[in-house]
Amino acid sequence: MRRADRLFRIVDELRRRRRATRASDLASLLEVSPRTIYRDMTDLMASGVPIEGSAGVGYILRPGYHLPPLMFDADEIEALTLGLRIVQSWTDPAMAEAAGRAIDRVRAAVPDELERRIGDLALFAPPRQHLGAEYRIDTGPYRRAIRDRRVLELLYEDENGRRSERRVRPLGLLFYGPKWLLAAWCELRVDFRSFRLDRVAAMQTLDERFRPEPGRTLVEFFDRWIE
């Protein structure tokens, strides 16, 4: 890693962390010695970056400092581009269009060498229109319901073909390629449930809104999910 890239990573790590970070932790992350981190900290402070701390105590970046935008290395560029291509292929048209604009914006902002790398990137996501109809799910209404915290009414079909009507609080969308799942609080079961979107026979967004409540949040859904 170039020294300039390492200095950028140090500042970025400090910016994202709210507590003092030890030089040894940064050294392990960046695969250098703690002594190298000490020298880098001295140089960053001398250049005006508002870092506070010292060896043996840890370092913290004062709030309000902003890094130049779109300073990505080659691996980060590949990760962003692949992620955006997956979004283009596997989400609703509005998100797909936004992902395309984001790729164009990244390509316009990075140096020529990295822009060429995006063009040559041999990482793709298969277009869902080549698959069956059950994969072509419009996630837009679900995204909006999650964002606006609106209750949904679902006509849901289970794996045995039995249908039931559900009132749910939509909490999040989970992509288990190629299937989409809706994480929700189900009022019928009075518990968390996940619903495969390809099994939703009908969906209606209600005017009724809900508020986050203890025991019914996405964080608690995941706590239950991984048990």
Side-chain angles (χ1 to χ4, degrees):
M1 179 185 296
R2 296 181 307 168
R3 184 168 186 270
D5 293 334
R6 187 175 69 248
L7 294 176
F8 176 85
R9 284 287 305 278
I10 289 172
V11 176
D12 190 42
E13 287 296 323
L14 294 178
R15 182 180 60 83
R16 293 190 295 109
R17 303 182 186 196
R18 297 182 178 181
R19 297 181 179 178
T21 303
R22 297 178 302 174
S24 59
D25 292 335
L26 291 170
S28 177
L29 177 67
L30 301 175
E31 299 180 343
V32 297
S33 69
R35 185 181 297 273
T36 297
I37 298 296
Y38 295 144
R39 288 198 299 266
D40 289 343
M41 288 297 184
T42 299
D43 292 342
L44 286 169
M45 292 177 183
S47 66
V49 179
I51 295 173
E52 297 177 351
S54 61
V57 175
Y59 299 90
I60 191 167
L61 184 69
R62 290 203 302 269
Y65 183 76
H66 299 287
L67 290 167
L70 295 173
M71 296 288 290
F72 302 122
D73 62 25
D75 288 338
E76 292 167 342
I77 285 291
E78 290 191 356
L80 281 171
T81 304
L82 177 59
L84 289 168
R85 286 177 178 174
I86 292 172
V87 170
Q88 281 185 303
S89 292
W90 291 100
T91 57
D92 56 87
M95 285 287 282
E97 183 179 349
R101 293 197 306 270
I103 291 176
D104 291 340
R105 188 168 297 184
V106 170
R107 296 187 70 163
V110 299
D112 290 343
E113 178 183 352
L114 291 179
E115 195 279 333
R116 287 192 296 271
R117 193 179 186 97
I118 294 174
D120 296 338
L121 185 61
L123 299 171
F124 300 94
R128 60 180 176 173
Q129 60 264 31
H130 293 169
L131 302 175
E134 68 271 21
Y135 299 109
R136 296 195 288 270
I137 303 296
D138 184 2
T139 56
Y142 298 95
R143 288 194 298 108
R144 290 188 288 273
I146 293 166
R147 181 185 61 214
D148 298 336
R149 296 198 178 104
R150 292 189 180 274
V151 175
L152 297 178
E153 283 189 351
L154 307 179
L155 179 60
Y156 190 70
E157 186 174 290
D158 68 16
E159 58 185 2
N160 297 314
R162 295 188 296 264
R163 290 190 171 188
S164 60
E165 295 182 357
R166 308 290 187 98
R167 277 173 51 95
V168 304
R169 298 181 177 193
L171 303 175
L173 285 173
L174 317 176
F175 184 61
Y176 280 78
K179 303 294 186 181
W180 279 100
L181 304 181
L182 175 69
W185 175 265
C186 178
E187 295 185 358
L188 176 64
R189 303 302 184 193
V190 196
D191 202 355
F192 292 114
R193 287 291 187 273
S194 61
F195 300 93
R196 275 178 44 174
L197 297 193
D198 59 304
R199 290 181 178 167
V200 176
M203 186 272 279
Q204 181 180 2
T205 304
L206 305 182
D207 291 334
E208 181 182 348
R209 295 177 182 267
F210 63 92
R211 295 181 179 181
E213 296 180 16
R216 301 184 181 186
T217 66
L218 184 61
V219 171
E220 289 155 316
F221 171 89
F222 281 122
D223 288 342
R224 183 85 60 83
W225 184 272
I226 62 177
E227 286 181 354

PDB file of all heavy atoms in Angstrom, residues 10-23 25-26 41 51-53 57-63:
ATOM      1  N   ILE A  10      -5.935   5.780   7.492  1.00  0.00           N
ATOM      2  CA  ILE A  10      -5.854   6.106   8.925  1.00  0.00           C
ATOM      3  C   ILE A  10      -6.904   7.153   9.280  1.00  0.00           C
ATOM      4  O   ILE A  10      -7.661   7.004  10.246  1.00  0.00           O
ATOM      5  CB  ILE A  10      -4.446   6.598   9.294  1.00  0.00           C
ATOM      6  CG1 ILE A  10      -3.444   5.428   9.242  1.00  0.00           C
ATOM      7  CG2 ILE A  10      -4.443   7.235  10.686  1.00  0.00           C
ATOM      8  CD1 ILE A  10      -2.002   5.866   9.407  1.00  0.00           C
ATOM      9  N   VAL A  11      -6.955   8.222   8.489  1.00  0.00           N
ATOM     10  CA  VAL A  11      -7.914   9.285   8.770  1.00  0.00           C
ATOM     11  C   VAL A  11      -9.342   8.765   8.631  1.00  0.00           C
ATOM     12  O   VAL A  11     -10.227   9.085   9.436  1.00  0.00           O
ATOM     13  CB  VAL A  11      -7.675  10.492   7.845  1.00  0.00           C
ATOM     14  CG1 VAL A  11      -8.740  11.571   8.068  1.00  0.00           C
ATOM     15  CG2 VAL A  11      -6.289  11.081   8.081  1.00  0.00           C
ATOM     16  N   ASP A  12      -9.577   7.928   7.625  1.00  0.00           N
ATOM     17  CA  ASP A  12     -10.917   7.378   7.420  1.00  0.00           C
ATOM     18  C   ASP A  12     -11.328   6.498   8.591  1.00  0.00           C
ATOM     19  O   ASP A  12     -12.479   6.550   9.056  1.00  0.00           O
ATOM     20  CB  ASP A  12     -10.938   6.584   6.114  1.00  0.00           C
ATOM     21  CG  ASP A  12     -12.351   6.186   5.711  1.00  0.00           C
ATOM     22  OD1 ASP A  12     -13.261   7.022   5.840  1.00  0.00           O
ATOM     23  OD2 ASP A  12     -12.547   5.035   5.282  1.00  0.00           O
ATOM     24  N   GLU A  13     -10.409   5.669   9.089  1.00  0.00           N
ATOM     25  CA  GLU A  13     -10.726   4.817  10.238  1.00  0.00           C
ATOM     26  C   GLU A  13     -11.025   5.654  11.474  1.00  0.00           C
ATOM     27  O   GLU A  13     -11.982   5.382  12.213  1.00  0.00           O
ATOM     28  CB  GLU A  13      -9.558   3.862  10.526  1.00  0.00           C
ATOM     29  CG  GLU A  13      -9.397   2.742   9.528  1.00  0.00           C
ATOM     30  CD  GLU A  13     -10.579   1.796   9.517  1.00  0.00           C
ATOM     31  OE1 GLU A  13     -11.137   1.535  10.605  1.00  0.00           O
ATOM     32  OE2 GLU A  13     -10.942   1.325   8.427  1.00  0.00           O
ATOM     33  N   LEU A  14     -10.234   6.689  11.707  1.00  0.00           N
ATOM     34  CA  LEU A  14     -10.480   7.553  12.865  1.00  0.00           C
ATOM     35  C   LEU A  14     -11.804   8.294  12.737  1.00  0.00           C
ATOM     36  O   LEU A  14     -12.511   8.505  13.724  1.00  0.00           O
ATOM     37  CB  LEU A  14      -9.337   8.558  13.018  1.00  0.00           C
ATOM     38  CG  LEU A  14      -7.965   7.973  13.377  1.00  0.00           C
ATOM     39  CD1 LEU A  14      -6.932   9.088  13.444  1.00  0.00           C
ATOM     40  CD2 LEU A  14      -8.007   7.216  14.699  1.00  0.00           C
ATOM     41  N   ARG A  15     -12.140   8.686  11.512  1.00  0.00           N
ATOM     42  CA  ARG A  15     -13.396   9.411  11.283  1.00  0.00           C
ATOM     43  C   ARG A  15     -14.599   8.540  11.599  1.00  0.00           C
ATOM     44  O   ARG A  15     -15.611   9.011  12.114  1.00  0.00           O
ATOM     45  CB  ARG A  15     -13.456   9.877   9.828  1.00  0.00           C
ATOM     46  CG  ARG A  15     -14.697  10.683   9.475  1.00  0.00           C
ATOM     47  CD  ARG A  15     -14.662  11.089   8.017  1.00  0.00           C
ATOM     48  NE  ARG A  15     -14.612   9.930   7.148  1.00  0.00           N
ATOM     49  CZ  ARG A  15     -15.683   9.234   6.770  1.00  0.00           C
ATOM     50  NH1 ARG A  15     -16.887   9.571   7.213  1.00  0.00           N
ATOM     51  NH2 ARG A  15     -15.566   8.201   5.970  1.00  0.00           N
ATOM     52  N   ARG A  16     -14.491   7.236  11.316  1.00  0.00           N
ATOM     53  CA  ARG A  16     -15.630   6.345  11.516  1.00  0.00           C
ATOM     54  C   ARG A  16     -15.757   5.848  12.946  1.00  0.00           C
ATOM     55  O   ARG A  16     -16.800   5.337  13.336  1.00  0.00           O
ATOM     56  CB  ARG A  16     -15.520   5.147  10.562  1.00  0.00           C
ATOM     57  CG  ARG A  16     -15.677   5.529   9.111  1.00  0.00           C
ATOM     58  CD  ARG A  16     -15.810   4.326   8.185  1.00  0.00           C
ATOM     59  NE  ARG A  16     -14.607   3.501   8.156  1.00  0.00           N
ATOM     60  CZ  ARG A  16     -14.524   2.300   8.697  1.00  0.00           C
ATOM     61  NH1 ARG A  16     -15.544   1.784   9.354  1.00  0.00           N
ATOM     62  NH2 ARG A  16     -13.416   1.590   8.610  1.00  0.00           N
ATOM     63  N   ARG A  17     -14.699   5.993  13.725  1.00  0.00           N
ATOM     64  CA  ARG A  17     -14.732   5.492  15.106  1.00  0.00           C
ATOM     65  C   ARG A  17     -14.929   6.650  16.078  1.00  0.00           C
ATOM     66  O   ARG A  17     -14.320   7.707  15.921  1.00  0.00           O
ATOM     67  CB  ARG A  17     -13.441   4.756  15.436  1.00  0.00           C
ATOM     68  CG  ARG A  17     -13.145   3.605  14.480  1.00  0.00           C
ATOM     69  CD  ARG A  17     -11.898   2.873  14.875  1.00  0.00           C
ATOM     70  NE  ARG A  17     -11.530   1.857  13.900  1.00  0.00           N
ATOM     71  CZ  ARG A  17     -10.672   0.879  14.136  1.00  0.00           C
ATOM     72  NH1 ARG A  17     -10.092   0.779  15.325  1.00  0.00           N
ATOM     73  NH2 ARG A  17     -10.384  -0.006  13.194  1.00  0.00           N
ATOM     74  N   ARG A  18     -15.753   6.450  17.067  1.00  0.00           N
ATOM     75  CA  ARG A  18     -16.064   7.517  18.019  1.00  0.00           C
ATOM     76  C   ARG A  18     -15.177   7.478  19.251  1.00  0.00           C
ATOM     77  O   ARG A  18     -15.181   8.400  20.040  1.00  0.00           O
ATOM     78  CB  ARG A  18     -17.537   7.421  18.436  1.00  0.00           C
ATOM     79  CG  ARG A  18     -18.506   7.630  17.267  1.00  0.00           C
ATOM     80  CD  ARG A  18     -19.941   7.582  17.736  1.00  0.00           C
ATOM     81  NE  ARG A  18     -20.873   7.824  16.644  1.00  0.00           N
ATOM     82  CZ  ARG A  18     -22.196   7.857  16.788  1.00  0.00           C
ATOM     83  NH1 ARG A  18     -22.732   7.639  17.986  1.00  0.00           N
ATOM     84  NH2 ARG A  18     -22.973   8.080  15.747  1.00  0.00           N
ATOM     85  N   ARG A  19     -14.452   6.391  19.423  1.00  0.00           N
ATOM     86  CA  ARG A  19     -13.577   6.266  20.580  1.00  0.00           C
ATOM     87  C   ARG A  19     -12.117   6.281  20.131  1.00  0.00           C
ATOM     88  O   ARG A  19     -11.806   6.098  18.959  1.00  0.00           O
ATOM     89  CB  ARG A  19     -13.873   4.964  21.321  1.00  0.00           C
ATOM     90  CG  ARG A  19     -15.295   4.907  21.895  1.00  0.00           C
ATOM     91  CD  ARG A  19     -15.512   3.600  22.624  1.00  0.00           C
ATOM     92  NE  ARG A  19     -16.859   3.526  23.204  1.00  0.00           N
ATOM     93  CZ  ARG A  19     -17.324   2.478  23.860  1.00  0.00           C
ATOM     94  NH1 ARG A  19     -16.549   1.401  24.018  1.00  0.00           N
ATOM     95  NH2 ARG A  19     -18.549   2.486  24.359  1.00  0.00           N
ATOM     96  N   ALA A  20     -11.250   6.511  21.092  1.00  0.00           N
ATOM     97  CA  ALA A  20      -9.823   6.526  20.795  1.00  0.00           C
ATOM     98  C   ALA A  20      -9.396   5.174  20.234  1.00  0.00           C
ATOM     99  O   ALA A  20      -9.817   4.115  20.724  1.00  0.00           O
ATOM    100  CB  ALA A  20      -9.022   6.860  22.047  1.00  0.00           C
ATOM    101  N   THR A  21      -8.572   5.210  19.210  1.00  0.00           N
ATOM    102  CA  THR A  21      -8.098   4.005  18.536  1.00  0.00           C
ATOM    103  C   THR A  21      -6.613   3.832  18.792  1.00  0.00           C
ATOM    104  O   THR A  21      -5.830   4.771  18.599  1.00  0.00           O
ATOM    105  CB  THR A  21      -8.343   4.098  17.020  1.00  0.00           C
ATOM    106  OG1 THR A  21      -9.737   4.325  16.784  1.00  0.00           O
ATOM    107  CG2 THR A  21      -7.915   2.828  16.315  1.00  0.00           C
ATOM    108  N   ARG A  22      -6.224   2.652  19.204  1.00  0.00           N
ATOM    109  CA  ARG A  22      -4.817   2.398  19.511  1.00  0.00           C
ATOM    110  C   ARG A  22      -4.006   2.221  18.237  1.00  0.00           C
ATOM    111  O   ARG A  22      -4.508   1.717  17.228  1.00  0.00           O
ATOM    112  CB  ARG A  22      -4.680   1.152  20.377  1.00  0.00           C
ATOM    113  CG  ARG A  22      -5.355   1.262  21.742  1.00  0.00           C
ATOM    114  CD  ARG A  22      -5.200  -0.032  22.509  1.00  0.00           C
ATOM    115  NE  ARG A  22      -5.771  -1.150  21.755  1.00  0.00           N
ATOM    116  CZ  ARG A  22      -5.677  -2.427  22.144  1.00  0.00           C
ATOM    117  NH1 ARG A  22      -5.023  -2.724  23.255  1.00  0.00           N
ATOM    118  NH2 ARG A  22      -6.233  -3.383  21.423  1.00  0.00           N
ATOM    119  N   ALA A  23      -2.748   2.623  18.304  1.00  0.00           N
ATOM    120  CA  ALA A  23      -1.854   2.471  17.162  1.00  0.00           C
ATOM    121  C   ALA A  23      -1.717   1.003  16.785  1.00  0.00           C
ATOM    122  O   ALA A  23      -1.611   0.659  15.598  1.00  0.00           O
ATOM    123  CB  ALA A  23      -0.491   3.075  17.478  1.00  0.00           C
ATOM    124  N   ASP A  25      -3.940  -1.326  16.928  1.00  0.00           N
ATOM    125  CA  ASP A  25      -5.098  -1.766  16.151  1.00  0.00           C
ATOM    126  C   ASP A  25      -4.990  -1.301  14.707  1.00  0.00           C
ATOM    127  O   ASP A  25      -5.295  -2.054  13.770  1.00  0.00           O
ATOM    128  CB  ASP A  25      -6.387  -1.224  16.774  1.00  0.00           C
ATOM    129  CG  ASP A  25      -6.676  -1.848  18.136  1.00  0.00           C
ATOM    130  OD1 ASP A  25      -6.196  -2.970  18.377  1.00  0.00           O
ATOM    131  OD2 ASP A  25      -7.354  -1.196  18.948  1.00  0.00           O
ATOM    132  N   LEU A  26      -4.570  -0.054  14.509  1.00  0.00           N
ATOM    133  CA  LEU A  26      -4.389   0.456  13.154  1.00  0.00           C
ATOM    134  C   LEU A  26      -3.261  -0.281  12.440  1.00  0.00           C
ATOM    135  O   LEU A  26      -3.354  -0.581  11.245  1.00  0.00           O
ATOM    136  CB  LEU A  26      -4.087   1.962  13.192  1.00  0.00           C
ATOM    137  CG  LEU A  26      -5.250   2.851  13.629  1.00  0.00           C
ATOM    138  CD1 LEU A  26      -4.755   4.279  13.868  1.00  0.00           C
ATOM    139  CD2 LEU A  26      -6.353   2.848  12.576  1.00  0.00           C
ATOM    140  N   MET A  41       1.047   9.377  12.342  1.00  0.00           N
ATOM    141  CA  MET A  41       0.247  10.274  13.168  1.00  0.00           C
ATOM    142  C   MET A  41       0.951  11.616  13.355  1.00  0.00           C
ATOM    143  O   MET A  41       0.324  12.684  13.285  1.00  0.00           O
ATOM    144  CB  MET A  41      -0.020   9.630  14.534  1.00  0.00           C
ATOM    145  CG  MET A  41      -1.002   8.473  14.493  1.00  0.00           C
ATOM    146  SD  MET A  41      -2.642   9.012  13.939  1.00  0.00           S
ATOM    147  CE  MET A  41      -3.541   7.457  14.141  1.00  0.00           C
ATOM    148  N   ILE A  51      -6.137  15.620  14.827  1.00  0.00           N
ATOM    149  CA  ILE A  51      -6.063  14.354  15.568  1.00  0.00           C
ATOM    150  C   ILE A  51      -5.538  14.657  16.964  1.00  0.00           C
ATOM    151  O   ILE A  51      -4.585  15.412  17.138  1.00  0.00           O
ATOM    152  CB  ILE A  51      -5.135  13.350  14.861  1.00  0.00           C
ATOM    153  CG1 ILE A  51      -5.720  12.958  13.492  1.00  0.00           C
ATOM    154  CG2 ILE A  51      -4.914  12.112  15.716  1.00  0.00           C
ATOM    155  CD1 ILE A  51      -4.792  12.100  12.658  1.00  0.00           C
ATOM    156  N   GLU A  52      -6.179  14.055  17.965  1.00  0.00           N
ATOM    157  CA  GLU A  52      -5.730  14.191  19.342  1.00  0.00           C
ATOM    158  C   GLU A  52      -5.328  12.821  19.889  1.00  0.00           C
ATOM    159  O   GLU A  52      -5.910  11.801  19.505  1.00  0.00           O
ATOM    160  CB  GLU A  52      -6.832  14.786  20.216  1.00  0.00           C
ATOM    161  CG  GLU A  52      -7.239  16.196  19.809  1.00  0.00           C
ATOM    162  CD  GLU A  52      -8.382  16.727  20.655  1.00  0.00           C
ATOM    163  OE1 GLU A  52      -8.964  15.934  21.426  1.00  0.00           O
ATOM    164  OE2 GLU A  52      -8.696  17.922  20.534  1.00  0.00           O
ATOM    165  N   GLY A  53      -4.331  12.797  20.767  1.00  0.00           N
ATOM    166  CA  GLY A  53      -3.912  11.546  21.383  1.00  0.00           C
ATOM    167  C   GLY A  53      -2.409  11.398  21.349  1.00  0.00           C
ATOM    168  O   GLY A  53      -1.673  12.302  20.923  1.00  0.00           O
ATOM    169  N   VAL A  57      -1.909   5.802  24.466  1.00  0.00           N
ATOM    170  CA  VAL A  57      -3.223   6.287  24.884  1.00  0.00           C
ATOM    171  C   VAL A  57      -4.262   6.007  23.810  1.00  0.00           C
ATOM    172  O   VAL A  57      -5.369   5.547  24.077  1.00  0.00           O
ATOM    173  CB  VAL A  57      -3.186   7.798  25.210  1.00  0.00           C
ATOM    174  CG1 VAL A  57      -4.586   8.316  25.534  1.00  0.00           C
ATOM    175  CG2 VAL A  57      -2.218   8.061  26.354  1.00  0.00           C
ATOM    176  N   GLY A  58      -3.889   6.281  22.578  1.00  0.00           N
ATOM    177  CA  GLY A  58      -4.811   6.134  21.456  1.00  0.00           C
ATOM    178  C   GLY A  58      -5.035   7.466  20.767  1.00  0.00           C
ATOM    179  O   GLY A  58      -4.605   8.523  21.254  1.00  0.00           O
ATOM    180  N   TYR A  59      -5.710   7.418  19.642  1.00  0.00           N
ATOM    181  CA  TYR A  59      -5.907   8.611  18.825  1.00  0.00           C
ATOM    182  C   TYR A  59      -7.385   8.754  18.467  1.00  0.00           C
ATOM    183  O   TYR A  59      -8.095   7.772  18.265  1.00  0.00           O
ATOM    184  CB  TYR A  59      -5.083   8.521  17.542  1.00  0.00           C
ATOM    185  CG  TYR A  59      -3.594   8.428  17.789  1.00  0.00           C
ATOM    186  CD1 TYR A  59      -2.973   7.190  17.938  1.00  0.00           C
ATOM    187  CD2 TYR A  59      -2.807   9.577  17.896  1.00  0.00           C
ATOM    188  CE1 TYR A  59      -1.608   7.086  18.175  1.00  0.00           C
ATOM    189  CE2 TYR A  59      -1.440   9.488  18.130  1.00  0.00           C
ATOM    190  CZ  TYR A  59      -0.849   8.247  18.273  1.00  0.00           C
ATOM    191  OH  TYR A  59       0.502   8.157  18.510  1.00  0.00           O
ATOM    192  N   ILE A  60      -7.816  10.012  18.373  1.00  0.00           N
ATOM    193  CA  ILE A  60      -9.204  10.302  18.015  1.00  0.00           C
ATOM    194  C   ILE A  60      -9.211  11.530  17.107  1.00  0.00           C
ATOM    195  O   ILE A  60      -8.394  12.450  17.267  1.00  0.00           O
ATOM    196  CB  ILE A  60     -10.070  10.530  19.275  1.00  0.00           C
ATOM    197  CG1 ILE A  60     -11.560  10.563  18.900  1.00  0.00           C
ATOM    198  CG2 ILE A  60      -9.644  11.776  20.030  1.00  0.00           C
ATOM    199  CD1 ILE A  60     -12.486  10.470  20.110  1.00  0.00           C
ATOM    200  N   LEU A  61     -10.114  11.530  16.155  1.00  0.00           N
ATOM    201  CA  LEU A  61     -10.249  12.649  15.224  1.00  0.00           C
ATOM    202  C   LEU A  61     -11.365  13.561  15.705  1.00  0.00           C
ATOM    203  O   LEU A  61     -12.485  13.104  15.956  1.00  0.00           O
ATOM    204  CB  LEU A  61     -10.565  12.126  13.821  1.00  0.00           C
ATOM    205  CG  LEU A  61     -10.661  13.156  12.687  1.00  0.00           C
ATOM    206  CD1 LEU A  61      -9.291  13.748  12.383  1.00  0.00           C
ATOM    207  CD2 LEU A  61     -11.244  12.505  11.437  1.00  0.00           C
ATOM    208  N   ARG A  62     -11.065  14.840  15.857  1.00  0.00           N
ATOM    209  CA  ARG A  62     -12.085  15.784  16.308  1.00  0.00           C
ATOM    210  C   ARG A  62     -13.217  15.859  15.294  1.00  0.00           C
ATOM    211  O   ARG A  62     -12.983  15.802  14.075  1.00  0.00           O
ATOM    212  CB  ARG A  62     -11.478  17.175  16.532  1.00  0.00           C
ATOM    213  CG  ARG A  62     -10.548  17.261  17.718  1.00  0.00           C
ATOM    214  CD  ARG A  62     -10.431  18.696  18.231  1.00  0.00           C
ATOM    215  NE  ARG A  62      -9.960  19.603  17.203  1.00  0.00           N
ATOM    216  CZ  ARG A  62      -8.684  19.898  16.972  1.00  0.00           C
ATOM    217  NH1 ARG A  62      -7.744  19.325  17.717  1.00  0.00           N
ATOM    218  NH2 ARG A  62      -8.346  20.736  16.024  1.00  0.00           N
ATOM    219  N   PRO A  63     -14.468  16.000  15.762  1.00  0.00           N
ATOM    220  CA  PRO A  63     -15.612  16.065  14.839  1.00  0.00           C
ATOM    221  C   PRO A  63     -15.501  17.245  13.885  1.00  0.00           C
ATOM    222  O   PRO A  63     -14.888  18.263  14.190  1.00  0.00           O
ATOM    223  CB  PRO A  63     -16.810  16.232  15.783  1.00  0.00           C
ATOM    224  CG  PRO A  63     -16.334  15.733  17.111  1.00  0.00           C
ATOM    225  CD  PRO A  63     -14.873  16.063  17.179  1.00  0.00           C
TER     226      PRO A  63
END
